[in-house]
Amino acid sequence: MANERRGHGLLLSGLHEMLRYWTAGESHGKALIALVDGFPAGVKIDEAPINVELRRRQGGYGRGGRQRIETDCVDIRCGVWRGVSIGSPIALEVVNRDYKLERLEDLPRPRPGHGDLTGAVKYLGSIRGVLERASARETAVRVATGALCKQLLAEFAVTVFGFVVEVGGVKIEPVAGTLAELRQIRDASDLYGLNLERDDEIKQLIDRAGKEGDTLGGVVEVQVHGVPFGLGTHAQWDRKLDGRLAQAVMAVQAIKGVEIGLGFEAARRPGSQVHDPIHYDAGQKHTPSLGYERPTNNAGGLEAGMTNGQPIVIRAAKKPISTLRKPLDSINLDTKQAEAASYERSDVCAVSAASVIVENVVAFEIAAAMIDKFGGDSLAEMQARYKLFLEMAAER
Ligand code: EPS
């Protein structure tokens, strides 16, 4: 009986959680590490595009002094042989140039909004011990993991594209264009937005906040193009892809809201102005959408927890950074006396970085969903099953 139960548990995790990852590392420790388990064999792996993503994460207008110290660069420590994945766990390492953890003092006065108070109380320990791990520095290896997964997604022509849509309450309305054109605009923007004419105003806003000792948040959007029909499932709550995406995105530091497609706006409209009509174009029968065309995409590519062949659209709200040069009220944790919160060097705005982070955590979830649907031992088997599924589903 005990064995049967164990077997059942193994089967469940084996079937539904083939691709997994964990991270380790402190902000000012020696290194950050990600362990990616269940990555299929046979995928060509290149460090260069991972480093491009790491460099993008470090940029964006409003970053602080730390990014002038770091030059994030991934070291693939295992799981790859002669540039190709072998089905073994893959360990990714990003070294911290600003390694100084052993020399750092504790912080006496918790910063409202950071993990300082909650973590120190929960773990009956120091604020330093919590802030080092709660820091968004950890997202470097989440980005490296997502960028690794993009190399699998590229084999299926799936692309993940993130950009900034709002900073400090000011919207950056995207201009129209093809994905390639929009990517060029985003990469030319200091804010990673899709409207270069808006950059100057927002940069001034960030400068003003910085001068006042304040910080700014914003909203980012991530789109996934080329996603095949039928990833995720309606059948069980914890396997619904919209739920998995929301969890992954909400678990990025400083994210306080996630919406898919119309999101909260859907609650304000009648059904006739929310749901996407279904049309059919036999000429598109053999594409990932199977020919089911939708004149609108208010669902953001997900219905009943499954992909519907339209692009996935997900947005995340990032709160302003909690380390303020003009600090808020706090208390001294040792004396319980009222004092201003501690201040350490920080960024004024990291919304651009958040667009890169959210893009890459989404890439991981899509890769995991692809492996759940099409198998995860090898790329060749996945590709054969992907092709077979599209053929069978086109005849449904
Ligand atoms: C962070 C504090 C700052 C940020 C950091 C997140 O680090 P430091 O204390 O070294 O100046 O720069 O983000 C990064 C280091 C990064 O690479 O994104 C925090 O406390 O959350």
Side-chain angles (χ1 to χ4, degrees), residues 41-328:
V43 182
K44 279 204 204 93
I45 302 298
D46 184 358
E47 285 179 357
I50 301 177
N51 288 332
V52 169
E53 294 295 289
L54 289 176
R55 226 46 66 67
R56 285 209 313 119
R57 192 202 70 91
Q58 287 197 268
Y61 199 78
R63 292 291 251 162
R66 178 73 185 269
Q67 301 313 322
R68 288 192 282 278
I69 302 173
E70 303 294 343
T71 313
D72 292 345
C73 190
V74 74
D75 186 1
I76 300 178
R77 304 296 304 230
C78 53
V80 174
W81 182 56
R82 296 181 177 168
V84 178
S85 60
I86 51 174
S88 304
I90 297 175
L92 306 172
E93 185 182 54
V94 174
V95 166
N96 287 322
R97 288 194 172 182
D98 201 20
Y99 164 53
K100 58 184 179 191
L101 186 53
E102 297 310 322
R103 287 187 279 118
L104 287 171
E105 300 293 336
D106 197 10
L107 237 66
R109 305 171 306 268
R111 292 160 298 171
H114 217 290
D116 302 354
L117 174 65
T118 48
V121 172
K122 175 178 163 65
Y123 288 92
L124 308 176
S126 63
I127 290 179
R128 174 66 59 193
V130 173
L131 82 87
E132 285 289 332
R133 180 68 186 149
S135 163
R137 174 84 191 133
E138 180 260 355
T139 60
V141 279
R142 282 203 245 179
V143 166
T145 302
L148 175 83
C149 290
K150 282 182 183 170
Q151 299 186 27
L152 170 66
L153 295 178
E155 300 285 353
F156 298 89
V158 173
T159 52
V160 192
F161 180 60
F163 51 93
V164 172
V165 292
E166 200 173 313
V167 175
V170 178
K171 290 201 164 52
I172 309 176
E173 298 85 8
V175 298
T178 63
L179 197 53
E181 287 163 351
L182 295 180
R183 194 179 288 276
Q184 266 190 353
I185 294 171
R186 180 199 70 185
D187 293 344
S189 163
D190 289 338
L191 292 155
Y192 305 173
L194 297 184
N195 188 340
L196 296 173
E197 287 180 8
R198 307 293 281 130
D199 280 14
D200 278 347
E201 182 193 336
I202 291 179
K203 282 159 74 173
Q204 283 167 21
L205 198 70
I206 294 172
D207 287 344
R208 216 174 313 134
K211 279 199 195 95
E212 288 164 6
D214 218 331
T215 57
L216 293 177
V219 180
V220 304
E221 178 169 319
V222 171
Q223 301 178 355
V224 192
H225 295 266
V227 210
F229 224 95
L231 302 187
T233 176
H234 67 296
Q236 196 57 266
W237 68 270
D238 63 340
R239 296 169 58 209
K240 287 175 182 260
L241 187 55
D242 44 8
R244 289 195 161 194
L245 284 166
Q247 202 264 333
V249 173
M250 193 62 121
V252 171
Q253 286 84 339
I255 299 298
K256 297 301 269 185
V258 180
E259 59 179 16
I260 291 176
L262 270 190
F264 274 60
E265 174 59 21
R268 303 182 188 112
R269 297 189 188 180
S272 57
Q273 287 169 47
V274 170
H275 303 297
D276 309 307
I278 303 173
H279 298 164
Y280 184 68
D281 175 0
Q284 300 296 313
K285 188 174 165 178
H286 296 295
T287 69
S289 77
L290 305 170
Y292 296 104
E293 302 297 334
R294 317 297 286 267
T296 52
N297 184 22
N298 292 335
L302 286 150
E303 290 172 304
M306 292 173 276
T307 53
N308 64 5
Q310 301 304 307
I312 292 176
V313 179
I314 184 161
R315 275 181 299 277
K318 182 189 179 298
K319 70 182 180 183
I321 280 162
S322 47
T323 309
L324 302 182
R325 197 162 46 73
K326 207 167 96 192
L328 293 172

